[in-house]
Amino acid sequence: MAVPVLADGQSSTALQSSQAFCLALLFLATFSENHMTVSESAHIQPAGEAAESILVAMTNLPDEASAARVARAVLEARVAACVNRLAPCQSEYWWQGRLEQAQEWPLLIKTTRAQYAGLEAVIRTEHPYDVPEIVTWPVGAGFAPYLAWVREEASGKPAGDATAPR
């Protein structure tokens, strides 16, 4: 069986594997939260209240260059701590009364509720779509040092002594 190869030399099988991996991580995060031992849950902290709560935002871009540009703009504006540029995916959607299909590059963005308005403004300014997808969901709990790092780096202030978790 022939494996389709994309313009950048990456096989669609590799993309499917990457997408499956991302979905598996989301599943594990959801599943494991409800099935932890006491010692495992000792390292987990609620994500916070009100303005300090952590959000994961998502937007999709039409090409790799615009995904890189938006990711950089969001980080330089200090409205997010981290942006993951994911492998391209196939999107199907209704637009202006027609069913459309496009390859898009998703961004997963870690920020805080307090920085959401600034994040949205940067994405709306930099995004090439008329109506960009900008959605968020709250992080219910997570590794305390990582959550603290997100809060520090997404503070809207110039970089301090915080370093990326490893």
Side-chain angles (χ1 to χ4, degrees):
M1 171 168 87
V3 175
V5 177
L6 304 174
D8 66 358
Q10 190 174 20
S11 72
S12 63
T13 303
L15 290 177
Q16 290 170 350
S17 295
S18 174
Q19 291 166 349
F21 176 74
C22 289
L23 288 174
L25 286 177
L26 288 173
F27 170 78
L28 287 173
T30 303
F31 179 79
S32 64
E33 182 179 328
N34 298 320
H35 297 87
M36 287 182 207
T37 66
V38 172
S39 64
E40 289 171 325
S41 64
H43 299 288
I44 296 199
Q45 167 185 332
E49 301 298 327
E52 288 197 0
S53 63
I54 306 296
L55 300 176
V56 174
M58 185 176 122
T59 190
N60 281 299
L61 286 295
D63 55 63
E64 189 173 9
S66 61
R69 186 182 69 252
V70 170
R72 177 64 63 173
V74 162
L75 292 168
E76 287 178 349
R78 305 291 296 176
V79 294
C82 175
V83 178
N84 300 115
R85 286 191 287 149
L86 302 180
C89 63
Q90 289 302 119
S91 296
E92 296 185 37
Y93 52 92
W94 286 100
W95 181 246
Q96 299 180 340
R98 292 181 32 189
L99 190 56
E100 300 283 342
Q101 183 177 31
Q103 185 174 39
E104 295 183 301
W105 278 253
L107 298 180
L108 287 181
I109 305 162
K110 275 65 88 184
T111 190
T112 63
R113 186 170 305 280
Q115 290 298 326
Y116 175 77
L119 173 66
E120 182 181 299
V122 171
I123 293 172
R124 290 178 62 197
T125 298
E126 297 293 328
H127 207 292
Y129 291 168
D130 294 336
V131 182
E133 172 185 14
I134 308 171
V135 296
T136 67
W137 57 93
V139 173
F143 184 53
Y146 180 80
L147 298 176
W149 174 79
V150 171
R151 287 185 189 98
E152 174 73 22
E153 294 298 338
S155 66
K157 301 173 187 167
D161 293 331
T163 57
R166 297 281 174 209

